[in-house]
Amino acid sequence: MACVKLGSKSDAFQRQGQAWFCTTGLPSDLVVEVGEMSFHLHKFPLLSRSAVMERMITEASEEGEEKCSVVLPDIPSGAKTFELIARFCYGMKLELSASNVVHLRCAAEHLEMTEEHGEGNLIMKTDNFLNQVVLRSWKDSLKALQTCDDLISYADEFNITKRCIESLAIKASTDPNLFGWPIMEHGGPLQSPGGSLLWNGISTGARPKNLSSDWWYEDVTVLSFALYKRLISLMESRGVKPEIIAGSLSFYARRYLPGLNRRRGITESSSNLSVIGPAALPSEVDQKSLVEDIDRLLPMQKSLVSTKFLFGLLRTGVILQVSPSCVSNLERRIGIQLDEATLEDLLMPNLCHSTETLYNVDCVQRILEHFLVMDKATDGASPCSEDNGELIGSPLLTPITMVAKLIDGYLAEVAPDINLKLPKFQALAAAVPDFARPLDDGLYRAIDIYLKSHPWLGESDKDQLCRLMDCQKLSLEACTHAAQNERLPLRVVVQVLFFEQLQLRTSIAGCFLVSENLEGSRQLRSGFGGPAEGGWDTAVKENQVLKIGMDSMRMRVSELEKECSVMRREIEKLGQAKSSSSWTKKFGFKIKSQMCSAEEKSVSQNNGTLTGRIEKLKERHGKREENLSLDG
C-alpha cells in the first residue's frame, strides 16, 4: 500500500490515560477537547494551519485566561484523526495512506486547512496524494472507498466517494490484459518491460497468465452494499456487458446470503467457499434489502445467471418475506429460462401457513405460465415446421418439450402428497400444451402415482384425471403396464388395449414389406442418412419402397409364367410335322425350356434374397422395440 511521510522531526507526543501531551519543553497554553480525549497543545502551530482553530482560539482568548480551552465535537473520525492533524501542525512525521487519507482530507476540510493558512497545507497534500497515488491504484482506490463508509456525508460532500468509484469502474471495465496493472497489485510476480516474469530482478522468459473479466468480483465484496450498488450502477452506465454485471451480483449475493449455498453440491459449495471466504453476515433486515436490491439491479435477460441461483434467491426472498413485486420479478426471471432448470430446483418447500401442501405448487405453476407467455411471444410454441404435410425437425430438442418433461417429473414428485388437491394437480398438468409431449409416459406415471396415493377418489374424478393423457401417445411398455393397472378406469383400460393392438399391428405389418432391388434400397437408405438414420421413420419409408419392389417382382413372375405357357402351346402346334416336330422337340423346346428354367431360377434366387432381407428386417424391428422399451 502506497504511503508518504510528512515532516522529519522526532515524535514529541505522549499519551497519559485520556490525554495527549506535547513535550516540546514549552508549557501548554491550549487544551482541545475531542470526544473523551484531551490534547494539551500550543496555540500558534494550530492557528497557523487552520482557520477554524484560529477563530475558536481567538474567541477563547478574549476571556482573559492564559490557558484557553476549545471543544471540537463534530470533527470527522474523532480523536484518532485529530492526533494526526496535530502532528502535522507541529511539523512531525505523518504517513499518508489509503486507509487514512479520506479521514484526513475530510477533517482538513472541516478545519479549513487551506493554502491561505500555510503553504503546503493538509487539504492540498491529501488531494495530491489521492489523485497521484491512491486513484491510480486498484487496491488503494478500493481501500479508500471502503473508508468512506465511516463518514459518507463528508466524503460525498467533498466528492471523494465519486472519484473513488469512478476510478474503480474504469479499471474494472477495462481489459486487464491490455495494461498488466492488476497483475502487480494482486500479489503476483513482477513483470519486466517486455512482459516476462522477474525473479530477483532477472527475467525468467515465462509469460504471465491472462486475467479473465471476473478478476475483480471478490475484491469488491468488501464494500458495503450501498457503495457496491453505486459502483455497479456506474459500470452499467459505462456500457459494461450485462453478463459481467450479473456475474458480480451473483458473487456478491452468495457471500452475504447464506441461504444460496445450502442446496449446492459438496464439490461446488466447497470450491466457492474457498474462493469467497468468510464474511460477517448481515442481519435479516439487511438480507431482505439485499435480495430486493439485487433483483432491481439484475438485467432482465435469459441465461445471465444460473437458474439454480435464481431459485435460491427466490427461496431466500420468500423466507425473508420480501415484497410481492420482488417475488413476482424473480418468478418471471426463472420462467424466462425454465428450460435450464432441474427437478431439484423446482422442489421448493411451501412456507405459506394457509396451505398444507409440502411443496409450493402454486409458485411452479406461475413460473410455468411465465415461460409459456415467453415461448409464445418468441414463436417457440411450434416444435417443428411443416413441409408438404410432413413434420421437419425433432421436437425433443425444443425448450418447451424439455419443460414438459420437467413438469411431468415434478408432478410425479408432488403426487404422493395427500394434501395436494385434484384441481391443483390437474391445472398444472393441463397447463403444458399437448404438442409439447411427444410421449405421455411421464404424465401417465404421475397420474398413476397420484391415484395410488389418493385411493379415495371416485370413478368420476379418476376418469376426469385420466383425460389429461392421450392413450395414443403411450409407448408399448406404458400400454402394457396400463392394461394391467387396476387403478385406472375401465374406459381407459379399453382405450389402452385398443391402441396397443393398433401399434402392434402397425409394427408387424412394417416387418413384412420387401424390396425388388436390394442395392437400390441401400442407395435409398444412404439418401436418408443424417441424425435420424436407423430410426423408426426411416425404417417405415424403407419398408414402403420394399413393398413397391415386391409388387413389381410379382408382376414379372406372372409375365414369365404367361410367356412359358404361350411357348408350350406353340410347340404343341408344331408337333404335327414329324421332322419338324422332332427337331423342335430336340432343339427348340429344349432351348425354350432351358430359357424358362433359367428365368425361374433367377426369380427363385431373387425371392431367396428377399426372404433373407425380410428376416433381417424382423430382427432389426425386434431390437428397435427392445430399445424403445428401455428408453420409455
Side-chain angles (χ1 to χ4, degrees), residues 48 99 252 377 404 498 544 560:
S48 64
S99 301
Y252 192 95
F498 172 76
Q544 292 175 351
L560 288 172

Side-chain angles (χ1 to χ4, degrees), residues 422-579:
L422 179 60
K424 188 171 294 187
F425 183 90
Q426 286 178 300
L428 183 57
V432 179
D434 292 338
F435 66 82
R437 293 186 175 103
L439 288 177
D440 275 7
D441 288 14
L443 181 58
Y444 165 67
R445 175 173 173 264
I447 291 175
D448 184 45
I449 295 175
Y450 190 87
L451 291 174
K452 183 178 181 180
S453 303
H454 301 75
W456 55 84
L457 289 178
E459 288 298 322
S460 60
D461 291 338
K462 290 182 179 180
D463 188 70
Q464 186 179 6
L465 179 61
C466 291
R467 290 181 185 275
L468 293 171
M469 64 178 179
D470 185 357
C471 296
Q472 298 185 62
K473 293 166 65 176
L474 295 179
S475 65
L476 287 175
E477 183 181 11
C479 286
T480 303
H481 184 278
Q484 304 173 6
N485 194 342
E486 297 179 355
R487 290 183 288 270
L488 297 179
L490 182 60
R491 179 191 63 82
V492 178
V493 175
V494 172
Q495 285 185 354
V496 169
L497 288 172
F498 172 76
F499 290 117
E500 181 184 18
Q501 293 298 322
L502 189 61
Q503 289 188 51
L504 288 173
R505 287 184 179 182
T506 304
S507 301
I508 294 173
C511 291
F512 285 98
L513 300 175
V514 292
S515 172
E516 171 197 10
N517 192 338
L518 183 59
E519 192 67 28
S521 68
R522 287 176 179 172
Q523 294 176 1
L524 185 62
R525 282 202 305 277
S526 64
F528 283 122
E533 185 173 357
W536 181 249
D537 293 338
T538 304
V540 171
K541 292 181 179 180
E542 290 181 4
N543 292 338
Q544 292 175 351
V545 174
L546 295 175
K547 181 179 180 180
I548 296 173
M550 184 60 183
D551 294 337
S552 177
M553 177 62 70
R554 288 173 179 173
M555 291 177 63
R556 288 189 60 186
V557 171
S558 177
E559 290 174 358
L560 288 172
E561 290 176 350
K562 290 180 181 179
E563 185 177 354
C564 289
S565 298
V566 171
M567 287 191 297
R568 286 192 182 98
R569 286 195 297 270
E570 290 177 353
I571 291 171
E572 290 175 356
K573 290 179 181 180
L574 294 174
Q576 296 176 359
K578 292 183 179 181
S579 60

Side-chain angles (χ1 to χ4, degrees), residues 231-302:
L231 172 63
I232 290 298
S233 299
L234 181 60
M235 292 181 65
E236 192 174 8
S237 66
R238 290 179 59 86
V240 177
K241 295 180 180 179
E243 55 266 26
I244 296 179
I245 298 293
S248 178
L249 287 166
S250 174
F251 198 100
Y252 192 95
R254 286 193 176 99
R255 180 160 190 172
Y256 293 103
L257 295 174
L260 298 181
N261 302 315
R262 289 176 181 171
R263 296 188 62 179
R264 300 162 74 180
I266 298 176
T267 304
E268 181 185 3
S269 180
S270 60
S271 61
N272 279 277
L273 288 177
S274 62
V275 173
I276 298 176
L281 296 179
S283 64
E284 290 189 2
V285 176
D286 293 336
Q287 291 185 42
K288 176 181 176 181
S289 301
L290 179 59
V291 172
E292 295 175 345
D293 287 334
I294 287 178
D295 171 61
R296 282 191 287 266
L297 290 172
L298 269 177
M300 187 67 76
Q301 295 182 24
K302 181 178 180 179

